[in-house]
Amino acid sequence: QMLGQTIEMTVPDIEVLPIHDFNLQQSQYFPLCCVSQQVSGAFDAVSMLVFPHNTSLNVVAMMMGEQLPAEALIELQEEAMSEMGNVVLNACMGDISNVIGDSIFLELPTYRLAISDLLIDEHEAKGDVVIHMNIKLIISSSKESGSLLLILDPRALPKLKVVLNNYINAYS
């Protein structure tokens, strides 16, 4: 509704890789517009809505529904992308919570423009690998695309296995 268009989502692609390799993989898209939320509860993670910077400006223009000069789009970018990230991330994490039948808690979203080659700071990370779930988001009429990333703390893997086993057993 925010864009007045359909957003197509791909089936999640899941990888386990070193943080350095993840950052290197993402660096081809820099600079990146990123809205992230800390996730806790059933599992610990960071959820992110990520668009290449130029794409995010096009998305902001679609959200505003009018022709605005580039300077105005840049001024609106943080607020508009934060709002979109809040809605999209909360909806996706709410759906995951409903599917697994367990609580997920989200912190307030934070916005940043990642201009270096680090999407995840290796010194702040809670491990040396990430479990990276990537869902491509494609805006139907413009074919602009971004990603919904779920970066799982590797220490949360045992907790996540229990959650997934409970989900599978409920339908066995």
Side-chain angles (χ1 to χ4, degrees):
Q1 288 180 332
M2 231 183 266
L3 297 174
Q5 300 180 46
T6 303
I7 297 178
E8 300 167 15
M9 299 174 75
T10 63
V11 173
D13 180 29
I14 299 173
E15 295 180 281
V16 177
L17 64 164
I19 292 173
H20 174 76
D21 292 353
F22 171 78
N23 282 328
L24 188 61
Q25 183 184 76
Q26 298 301 309
S27 68
Q28 65 183 317
Y29 305 109
F30 279 97
L32 290 170
C33 173
C34 176
V35 179
S36 60
Q37 286 184 301
Q38 293 292 323
V39 177
S40 61
F43 55 87
D44 298 323
V46 176
S47 61
M48 295 181 185
L49 180 65
V50 180
F51 285 93
H53 182 257
N54 289 338
T55 298
S56 71
L57 291 173
N58 294 338
V59 170
V60 170
M62 284 184 256
M63 288 173 73
M64 297 299 120
E66 55 189 84
Q67 292 292 83
L68 296 173
E71 300 81 32
L73 293 175
I74 290 169
E75 286 180 27
L76 294 168
Q77 183 180 30
E78 180 174 348
E79 185 177 338
M81 292 306 295
S82 292
E83 182 61 26
M84 182 178 183
N86 189 37
V87 170
V88 170
L89 294 172
N90 281 317
C92 289
M93 297 312 297
D95 285 347
I96 289 172
S97 177
N98 289 337
V99 165
I100 63 174
D102 206 341
S103 298
I104 294 176
F105 305 99
L106 301 170
E107 292 183 11
L108 291 174
T110 57
Y111 169 89
R112 73 184 170 109
L113 184 60
I115 54 174
S116 70
D117 60 349
L118 295 178
L119 190 56
I120 298 178
D121 187 331
E122 295 177 44
H123 301 293
E124 293 177 11
K126 297 177 178 156
D128 57 355
V129 298
V130 295
I131 302 166
H132 165 224
M133 182 177 82
N134 183 23
I135 301 171
K136 282 286 183 203
L137 304 172
I138 303 161
I139 300 168
S140 60
S141 68
S142 67
K143 297 301 179 197
E144 298 286 4
S145 68
S147 294
L148 175 66
L149 306 177
L150 186 61
I151 310 298
L152 295 161
D153 180 343
R155 296 176 300 175
L157 194 53
K159 195 174 181 182
L160 183 61
K161 283 181 181 177
V162 168
V163 168
L164 292 174
N165 280 332
N166 290 342
Y167 174 73
I168 290 168
N169 291 335
Y171 293 97
S172 298

